[in-house]
Amino acid sequence: MTTSAEHHQHRNHDHVHGAGCGHVAVPHGDHVDYVHDGCMHRVHEGHVDECEPPGHVPHGDHDHQHGPGCGHVAVPHGDHVDYVHDGHRHAGHNGHWDDH
């Protein structure tokens, strides 16, 4: 799994994300994302980026079906819900799961 994401800086973001900031912290590969207004924010070089995958990244051989009560943290993300699983986020897409 790749942990790199396209660099989309979230401009005019005065809030400082970090431990105890009040937003859900989600481990994501080599960093932590913070859930904020339906977006995933990543602190990066003194500013905040929208942490988005670089295109379509299917998660192969994923038999587990995520959904309410599946045992994984559900995180609203734009127009869908991601599920935190093994240090990354899964999102349902056309009958399979993508890494987010």
Side-chain angles (χ1 to χ4, degrees):
M1 176 190 80
T2 181
T3 57
S4 63
E6 293 183 34
H7 191 102
H8 296 286
Q9 187 172 346
H10 187 98
R11 304 217 183 266
N12 302 320
H13 187 75
D14 296 330
H15 176 76
V16 177
H17 290 295
C21 75
H23 294 109
V24 174
V26 179
H28 188 206
D30 63 354
H31 64 276
V32 175
D33 291 334
Y34 294 91
V35 181
H36 190 175
D37 294 334
C39 299
M40 302 302 264
H41 288 175
R42 172 187 185 183
V43 177
H44 175 75
E45 296 180 1
H47 62 271
V48 173
D49 288 344
E50 301 286 344
C51 190
E52 295 297 330
H56 182 224
V57 184
H59 184 87
D61 298 324
H62 187 71
D63 295 330
H64 176 76
Q65 292 300 307
H66 294 293
C70 75
H72 295 106
V73 175
V75 179
H77 185 204
D79 64 354
H80 63 277
V81 175
D82 289 347
Y83 293 89
V84 179
H85 189 162
D86 295 335
H88 53 275
R89 301 180 331 254
H90 289 169
H93 178 249
N94 291 337
H96 65 271
W97 296 99
D98 287 348
D99 278 328
H100 268 197

